[in-house]
């Protein structure tokens, strides 16, 4: 009864890269990668700028919503394939649940 039990406070936090959530940082990282592959300084700057603007857009969409909002959007708007199909949830094309 005197065992020191540790209860984590942040068990379900989203993945982070530094201060940013992974889904907000991903467009910027993708822009850096594509810009580097382009081989031109101007194309690099344009790709980084596009990635940064896309990450700001994602951050504004996610503001004041559920922490898993991006996963919910992916579930509802991407087609289901055998690798991403979930057995505990209904198919995403069924929009109205009765019962």
């Amino acid at each position: 009864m005197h065992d020191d039990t540790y209860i984590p406070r942040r068990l379900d936090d989203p993945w982070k890269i530094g201060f940013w959530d992974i889904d907000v940082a991903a467009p910027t990282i993708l822009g850096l990668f594509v810009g580097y592959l382009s081989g031109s300084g101007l194309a690099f700057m344009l790709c980084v700028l596009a990635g940064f603007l896309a990450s700001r857009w994602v951050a504004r969409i996610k503001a004041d919503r559920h922490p898993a909002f991006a996963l919910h959007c992916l579930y509802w708007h991407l087609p289901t394939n055998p690798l991403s199909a979930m057995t505990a949830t209904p198919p995403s094309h069924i929009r109205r649940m009765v019962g």
Side-chain angles (χ1 to χ4, degrees):
M1 296 304 286
H2 296 286
D3 292 338
D4 186 24
T5 59
Y6 173 72
I7 300 173
R9 293 184 304 166
R10 296 185 181 105
L11 189 60
D12 293 331
D13 276 355
W15 291 5
K16 295 200 179 274
I17 295 178
F19 294 113
W20 302 283
D21 291 339
I22 189 78
D23 51 354
V24 174
T28 303
I29 293 170
L30 183 67
L32 282 167
F33 181 70
V34 170
Y36 178 74
L37 289 179
S38 68
S40 166
L42 179 62
F44 177 76
M45 294 305 285
L46 289 175
C47 289
V48 170
L49 180 66
F52 178 74
L53 292 175
S55 69
R56 294 299 307 153
W57 179 68
V58 169
R60 286 184 183 187
I61 288 176
K62 280 184 51 175
D64 297 329
R65 296 212 172 127
H66 190 272
F69 175 73
L71 291 176
H72 295 169
C73 280
L74 291 175
Y75 172 74
W76 285 111
H77 298 292
L78 288 181
T80 305
N81 61 25
L83 296 175
S84 68
M86 294 184 260
T87 58
T89 58
S92 64
H93 67 275
I94 299 176
R95 299 295 176 142
R96 176 178 276 181
M97 298 296 289
V98 179

